[in-house]
Amino acid sequence: YFQLGTHRCLFEGEDADDEEEPPDLTPCTAAILLGIATVVTSFSTDFLIHAIKGTVSSWDVSQEFIGIILLPIIGNAAEHYTAIT
């Protein structure tokens, strides 16, 4: 309450009277893009599941090891890479 009630002027931008920027996407375009991303994600997941089945049989490791150890490491590899660079 102290920051928002008594010192409101400190948290307002210098150009508080300016209009807001228009959105980059219209709601229709955003919905279409969300649908496309959902379909691509479902196909990627299906491909990953089939790849895991082949990996389990060829490497002779358990599905639990892949699901608990390998997938989180591989899934966060891009995030770790961008954090380093």
Side-chain angles (χ1 to χ4, degrees):
Y1 173 77
F2 177 75
Q3 293 176 345
L4 297 177
T6 60
H7 291 82
R8 186 170 294 160
C9 62
L10 296 176
F11 297 99
E12 291 178 355
E14 292 178 13
D15 299 328
D17 296 334
D18 288 344
E19 295 181 19
E20 292 184 14
E21 294 181 20
D24 293 333
L25 298 174
T26 64
C28 183
T29 305
I32 291 171
L33 187 61
L34 180 62
I36 291 171
T38 303
V39 170
V40 168
T41 302
S42 68
F43 281 116
S44 298
T45 304
D46 191 42
F47 176 73
L48 179 65
I49 289 170
H50 290 296
I52 287 175
K53 289 179 182 177
T55 304
V56 166
S57 63
S58 66
W59 285 8
D60 196 31
V61 295
S62 67
Q63 289 181 349
E64 290 80 13
F65 175 77
I66 291 177
I68 295 172
I69 305 296
L70 291 181
L71 282 181
I73 292 172
I74 294 169
N76 289 329
E79 183 180 348
H80 295 157
Y81 176 75
T82 56
I84 292 171
T85 57

